[in-house]
Amino acid sequence: MAAITMTHVTRRFGEVCAVNDLSLTVEEKAFVTLLGPSGCGKTTTLRMIAGLETPTDGRIDLFGKTVFDRERHINVPANRRGIGLLFQNYALWPNMTVYQNIAYPLQGGDLTKERIGERVKEVARTVKIDALLDRYPAQLSGGQQQRVAIARTLAPRPRLILMDEPLSNLDAKLRLEMRSELQRLHLATGCTFLYVTHDQLEAMTLSTTICLMEQGVVRQCAPPLTVYRRPANLFAASFVGAPPINLLPAQVLPGEELLLRLAGDQNARFTFSDRAGEMPRDGLVTLGVRPEQLLPGESGMLAEVYSVLPAGMETTVQIKRGDALLSAVIFGETPLTIGQTVRVRFAGAQLPLFRRDTGALIGVGSVELL
């Protein structure tokens, strides 16, 4: 059963269309990330699922039950949708202890005081804050406060948890720690997670599926490594990856073989390993080269080393060829120096080739520099 089904959902704010005719299915127990730049509509999408924002049009179903349908005039309130919400602001009650904060959503129901206590201690152990139950939020670190917010969200046993950039207020070390905890919690709880972020590293490391959004439209929805290795379009290719993908304009040369003319009169032979679309009639294409696919060697095209940025485990090297700056990632140290002339080649069989007119993927393959 699908946890979330959105069918032709649109949300307009006056003349601005924040989400445009969005159809999306999230399978039960998946960890799906809505990824995209600020203003792409990802938070609006989450808020419509939560019931905090009313769609202009369309239908939303949660676990087979319709919670919104414009045509049938159905709009189930947020507190009756049975979901957990976790936001950037932890929203903990400062005058309540950790125990009381976690217990708050369980009160007023059928649970006895003893059963509430058991559940609070259970989720506190799950997120590793069982030793902090008597403390107040002001006595906790940012990471501990975030764990309390997660425990409070888990306490009512929701089947679906919606998270809007919950780690953005944490420092880099705590964010790494909490990513690991969220991944572990997803497996331990069996809940469906829908996670909103603009941080591609969070999306790549946490998700079972990434839905990449731009201007209110989903541009690609696929497993993280598929988005990275086989981006559906130029937007997906350029948004996912750090350092960013190198995009080289090219012209298809006439002939039986697929030959490309790159900038600087460099010819290359492209061999498809997976074809996705048709070549444009004008022959104008864009070749994508990930930084780890750009390697120095004894053969290849000539270029100049523009900068060398060691970071311990890897070194980022910028290569200048004409007016273009290309990024390469070399694992470990490198003897390259600024101003040095080197030869570089393109490695692997997963280099994407795009139409320049529409940005759509033509296919992926290998490149031999001639």
Side-chain angles (χ1 to χ4, degrees), residues 65-78:
K65 177 185 176 182
T66 301
V67 296
F68 179 84
D69 191 323
R70 172 62 69 185
E71 292 185 357
R72 295 160 59 194
H73 304 289
I74 296 173
N75 191 7
V76 177

Side-chain angles (χ1 to χ4, degrees), residues 1-289:
M1 179 188 296
I4 305 170
T5 304
M6 303 182 74
T7 307
H8 301 297
V9 174
T10 297
R11 181 64 172 110
R12 296 187 184 88
F13 296 93
E15 296 182 357
V16 177
C17 188
V19 176
N20 186 15
D21 195 27
L22 175 62
S23 292
L24 175 67
T25 299
V26 174
E27 296 299 328
E28 192 170 4
K29 298 185 179 180
F31 195 133
V32 176
T33 298
L34 299 180
L35 174 67
S38 297
C40 70
K42 54 189 185 294
T43 293
T44 300
T45 299
L46 179 140
R47 289 176 61 83
M48 288 190 293
I49 295 169
L52 303 177
E53 199 77 59
T54 302
T56 307
D57 204 357
R59 191 183 79 209
I60 301 173
D61 297 289
L62 301 181
F63 299 99
K65 177 185 176 182
T66 301
V67 296
F68 179 84
D69 191 323
R70 172 62 69 185
E71 292 185 357
R72 295 160 59 194
H73 304 289
I74 296 173
N75 191 7
V76 177
N79 62 348
R80 291 176 50 201
R81 296 194 181 190
I83 58 178
L85 296 171
L86 189 63
F87 294 105
Q88 178 178 346
N89 184 353
Y90 313 137
L92 302 178
W93 297 101
N95 60 327
M96 292 185 182
T97 64
V98 169
Y99 180 98
Q100 292 168 331
N101 268 281
I102 299 173
Y104 186 79
L106 300 175
Q107 295 170 353
D110 298 331
L111 295 180
T112 63
K113 186 176 180 181
E114 291 73 19
R115 187 67 190 93
I116 289 175
E118 291 173 5
R119 180 59 181 159
V120 169
K121 292 174 183 177
E122 179 184 346
V123 294
R125 284 193 299 270
T126 300
V127 299
K128 301 178 182 178
I129 55 169
D130 46 311
L132 308 176
L133 292 176
D134 293 330
R135 296 191 188 180
Y136 288 88
Q139 299 172 306
L140 306 178
S141 68
Q144 290 170 335
Q145 290 184 41
Q146 183 61 282
R147 289 171 187 268
V148 175
I150 293 172
R152 184 182 57 188
T153 303
L154 292 174
R157 301 184 189 274
R159 296 170 68 188
L160 171 63
I161 296 179
L162 308 180
M163 294 173 281
D164 190 3
E165 303 199 42
L167 308 184
S168 58
N169 284 339
L170 304 179
D171 61 37
K173 183 179 179 181
L174 277 175
R175 290 181 79 166
L176 179 61
E177 179 183 324
M178 289 307 300
R179 280 187 208 126
S180 298
E181 292 301 318
L182 286 175
Q183 186 182 62
R184 186 183 64 84
L185 281 171
H186 175 243
L187 295 175
T189 61
C191 295
T192 304
F193 282 16
L194 184 67
Y195 191 97
V196 164
T197 184
H198 64 271
D199 186 329
Q200 57 167 300
L201 184 59
E202 286 183 5
M204 290 291 294
T205 54
L206 289 174
S207 314
T208 58
T209 301
I210 290 176
C211 290
L212 190 58
M213 295 187 69
E214 181 192 27
Q215 297 178 350
V217 177
V218 172
R219 299 298 185 189
Q220 185 172 11
C221 200
L225 290 180
T226 299
V227 175
Y228 186 80
R229 294 172 179 166
R230 199 176 186 278
N233 46 63
L234 280 170
F235 172 74
S238 59
F239 193 84
V240 175
I245 192 171
N246 301 297
L247 297 174
L248 308 177
Q251 171 73 54
V252 177
L253 300 178
E256 294 184 2
E257 289 187 300
L258 179 51
L259 299 179
L260 305 178
R261 173 69 57 82
L262 303 175
D265 294 333
Q266 174 70 56
N267 290 347
R269 180 183 294 111
F270 190 94
T271 304
F272 282 108
S273 59
D274 188 7
R275 187 74 179 259
E278 297 299 321
M279 285 286 183
R281 291 185 179 181
D282 59 9
L284 298 178
V285 296
T286 299
L287 175 67
V289 183

Side-chain angles (χ1 to χ4, degrees), residues 291-293 295 312-317 328-334:
E292 65 271 19
Q293 296 171 326
L295 300 178
M313 184 176 66
E314 62 187 29
T315 302
T316 300
V317 180
V329 170
I330 300 171
F331 293 98
E333 298 179 5
T334 176

